Every structure is written in structure tokens, then in C-alpha cells.
Amino acid sequence: MSEPSTQQNSWTAPVAAAPVDAGIRVPGSKSITNRAFVLAALSAGPTLVREPLESRDARLMLDALTALGARCEHVPDGVRVHPVTRGSSTVSDTVDVSMGNAGTVARFTPALAALGARAVRFDGDEAIRRRPVGPLLRALAELGAEIDDDGRGAPPFVVHGRGGLPGGTVDLDSSASSQFLSALLLVAPATEHGVTVRLVGGAPPSEPHIAMTLDMLRRFGARPERSGTSFHVPPAPLACPDYTVEPDLSTAAPFVLAPLLTGGTVRVAGWPGETTQPGDWLRSLVGELGGSAVLGDDGLTVTGSGEVRGADLDLHEVGELTPAVAAVLCFADRPSVISGVAHLRGHETDRLAALATELGALGGNVTETEDGLRIVPAPLRSGTFHTYDDHRLVMTGALLGLRVPGIEVENPATVAKTFPGFVRAWEQLVGRPGD
């Protein structure tokens, strides 16, 4: 687990003095936005990506694609991405790509660098050096990429572009992150022979994100095939002149769960009727924890009583929801267990250790298990909730503050990774005096 942020700013999470009654529109999906940007950069012509997420992760992706030879224009309707240029280059200088702490940038863009003709050095925040990437780098090397990482399997590393990527068949351990698999599938249409990936080492977390990648490949004209744990994507020209990004359902989690803690109703505009986003699981979760969620033409309406039912939840496929769910379960009517999320130890921080530490510091009875958390409801008290530069932990602190006065959420600005306007939207939801 990384250390708490050294930044001194904090935010006092507002207490809900009454049942919430509000509407919210969350920004575009980070996962869809950055996949769309990558596929647009690999397409034969420009793509207008409408309603993309505007956040640090999205900016890092656009900056990386620009460094790799794409041209990205902000236009009134979104971002127009012109494809990367390929072929030989007379420029010998190494290009630098900053990955920040963005997993999608760290996993999706190195393969694109292999398609170019320059050396590209990848590095980022200190936290990104602790996030796993070794299995992906090894797989890319087997597919024909030239990578210099001094044997670390972690940033910083250099990809030496040779004007293309042969492709082929590779065994991949994607058990630490489904993004390893998605990275290979996204670049596969641009390789010479296509790519076949055979998964080894256990099932990847978050099956919905794999389905998302396959669906978006089809939308851009690729022909991905799947047979159990084997995937094949043949070479294909990509094109999608106009693509609209769905709202981020995982970012909606604290708003969806707020009525469970406060009573009242929250309406989330634009919730899609059909989606591959793992956050759609929130609809069934609300019912399991004692509320109701109704999907209509205008979005999702969530109603709660202010009482939470405890539950045993396997969140393997929706691990990114764990921080918000853990916060709610601290107020349940009985002990709960979250399982299937050992991979969260390799996210922005070790999320399991961070949640156990920070909830425990506020009086919670939360312990780590082999693959999750055990949460026994206990009275919580005021105090500082450290966020470890992790956007999801800012949202966790906000949920705790609905019931517990005096929750000081450290470094709230880190939530800009996925929702730059989160603090203001949350205060409007709660109805903080003066808003």
C-alpha cells in the first residue's frame, strides 16, 4: 500500500440531515473513453468521440496518443482523434510518454508504440511503478515488440518501434488485470497476422470489461472471436466516424448507494438500457442491500429507507465498486463479507489494505481476508480519512460522511481522475446549506 498523500488540503464530507432527493448526471465512462481513443487512433480515418470523460486519465491518454503520432482535437461535440502515423521515421530522439497513475494508459499504449518507428519511454507517478505490467510486456515481446525494461517488468521501460507488429499466438496470465488481455485485443487488428491469446494462470478479474473490449472492437469494424479462454482477432481496417461514450456507471456508485444510508431517492440520468459496464450490477446490488432500483427511459431511480442489509458479496467481476460498497456495509444490520477481489491490491493503491486501515482508524471493525474484506458493523467516529491518491477512496469518504459528522477526506482533488466535479455534485446531492 502506498503512503497517504503529503498534500495538506482536505474536505469535510457533508452529513445528510434529511433523506436525499436529487438528480445527478455523471460524466462519461473512463473505461469506454480510453478504449475509444485507442481504437480511434488505430482507425483508417478520424473519429469523433462524443461525450468523453474529461479527467486526468483521459488527458493522459490523449497526450500519450499525441506523442505516438495521433492528432487529437477538442471540438464542441467532444474530441476528434486522427489516427497515428506509421512507417519509417528519420527522427532518432526518444519520445516520452507520461502514464501518471492511469492503468489504461500504462497497459493500452505500449503496443501502439510498437507499431510506430521511434523509441518511446514510458514512465509515470511513483504509484504506477508498483502496478503490475510484467505479463503484458512479456506477451508483447512474444508478439514481436522490442521492449527494454531491464528485466523489471515495470515502468520505466522503453518500446523500440520497428514500424509494425507481427502478431501471432501468445499465452497470457491476465489474472492480475483484465487490461492485459484488452491491451492485446485492441491492437490486434493493426498487426500483420492478427493476435490469438490463450489465457493461463486463472480467470481475469472483471469479465464485463473484457466484454466491453470485444463489443467496442466490433463497433469499430474488427471481428473478434472467443472460445472459452481463447481469443482471436484477425487483421482488419478499423473505422467508426462517430462514437458516443456512455455515462460512467462505476462513478455513479456513491450516488446510487446514498439513499441506502439516508433514505430518499436519487435519479441518475442517462443510465443505459443495455451496457457492458460492470457498474450496471449496482441495480441488483441495491435490491440485495434493502433498496429498490427502477430503470426507465430517463435513467435509473434508486430509493432507500436508510437501513442497509448485510450481505456476502463476490465482487470479482465488479471489483472497482468495492470501496463504495465497503463504506455502505459499515452501517449494515449484520456482518458482511466481500470476496473475489484480491486483485485490488494492485490498483491505484492496495485498496484492501487501505480500506481496512482507514475504516479501522475511524472505529470500524474491518479485516482483510485472503481475497477481500470482512466487515462487522461498529460505531464510527470523526477523523481524517486518508485517500492514498486514489479517486475511489475519496468517494468512500464521502459516503461515510453521510452518517458520521467530521469526516475529513484527505486530498479530494485526486477524484479528478474520473470525476473532476465530484465534490460540488456531492454537496448538491446532500443539500449542504448555502448550495
Side-chain angles (χ1 to χ4, degrees), residues 369-381:
T369 65
E370 182 179 353
D371 68 341
L373 298 169
R374 176 172 172 78
I375 301 172
V376 179
L380 299 185
R381 57 179 176 266

Side-chain angles (χ1 to χ4, degrees), residues 39 43 189 213-224 233-241 243:
L39 288 168
S43 294
T213 297
L214 296 174
D215 177 69
M216 293 184 67
L217 278 164
R218 295 185 186 100
R219 289 281 302 274
F220 276 78
R223 304 183 306 278
V233 182
L238 299 182
C240 185
Y243 187 92

Side-chain angles (χ1 to χ4, degrees), residues 25-52:
R25 180 176 292 276
V26 297
S29 162
K30 179 191 71 172
S31 298
I32 293 177
T33 293
N34 279 355
R35 282 169 172 78
F37 286 159
V38 168
L39 288 168
L42 292 172
S43 294
T47 301
L48 174 59
V49 181
R50 298 180 185 270
E51 301 181 25

Side-chain angles (χ1 to χ4, degrees), residues 1-174:
M1 182 173 65
S2 60
E3 294 297 318
S5 170
T6 57
Q7 293 186 238
Q8 298 302 310
N9 61 313
S10 64
W11 167 57
T12 304
V15 176
V20 294
D21 183 4
I24 180 70
R25 180 176 292 276
V26 297
S29 162
K30 179 191 71 172
S31 298
I32 293 177
T33 293
N34 279 355
R35 282 169 172 78
F37 286 159
V38 168
L39 288 168
L42 292 172
S43 294
T47 301
L48 174 59
V49 181
R50 298 180 185 270
E51 301 181 25
L53 173 65
E54 295 183 9
S55 72
R56 186 188 185 211
D57 275 24
R59 288 192 298 272
L60 286 166
M61 178 62 82
L62 290 176
D63 289 346
L65 296 177
T66 299
L68 296 175
R71 184 162 59 89
C72 306
E73 303 176 282
H74 289 271
V75 296
D77 293 332
V79 177
R80 182 172 285 106
V81 179
H82 299 260
V84 294
T85 55
R86 305 182 199 172
S88 61
S89 173
T90 59
V91 181
S92 59
D93 293 342
T94 299
V95 174
D96 288 313
V97 167
S98 173
M99 302 180 293
N101 192 19
T104 51
V105 180
R107 280 73 179 263
F108 293 172
T109 60
L112 273 70
L115 298 173
R118 300 177 68 179
V120 182
R121 183 179 186 273
F122 291 85
D123 202 358
D125 297 352
E126 184 61 33
I128 202 70
R129 297 183 177 185
R130 295 187 294 269
R131 299 183 69 177
V133 74
L136 173 62
L137 297 184
R138 290 192 291 273
L140 286 173
E142 290 185 37
L143 294 174
E146 183 179 344
I147 299 173
D148 180 8
D149 65 350
D150 292 331
R152 294 185 310 274
F157 56 85
V158 177
V159 177
H160 298 275
R162 295 292 180 258
L165 195 60
T169 300
V170 66
D171 291 339
L172 174 71
D173 183 350
S174 199

Side-chain angles (χ1 to χ4, degrees), residues 171-230:
D171 291 339
L172 174 71
D173 183 350
S174 199
S175 59
S177 173
S178 64
Q179 290 177 354
F180 297 166
L181 173 60
S182 288
L184 299 182
L185 300 180
L186 288 170
V187 78
T191 63
E192 183 179 354
H193 304 296
V195 172
T196 298
V197 182
R198 299 178 301 211
L199 293 180
V200 298
S206 192
E207 176 70 27
H209 279 117
I210 298 172
M212 177 187 294
T213 297
L214 296 174
D215 177 69
M216 293 184 67
L217 278 164
R218 295 185 186 100
R219 289 281 302 274
F220 276 78
R223 304 183 306 278
E225 303 169 3
R226 178 177 186 176
S227 177
T229 59
S230 180

Side-chain angles (χ1 to χ4, degrees), residues 289-301:
L289 298 185
S292 69
V294 178
L295 182 61
D297 293 339
D298 56 349
L300 185 71
T301 300

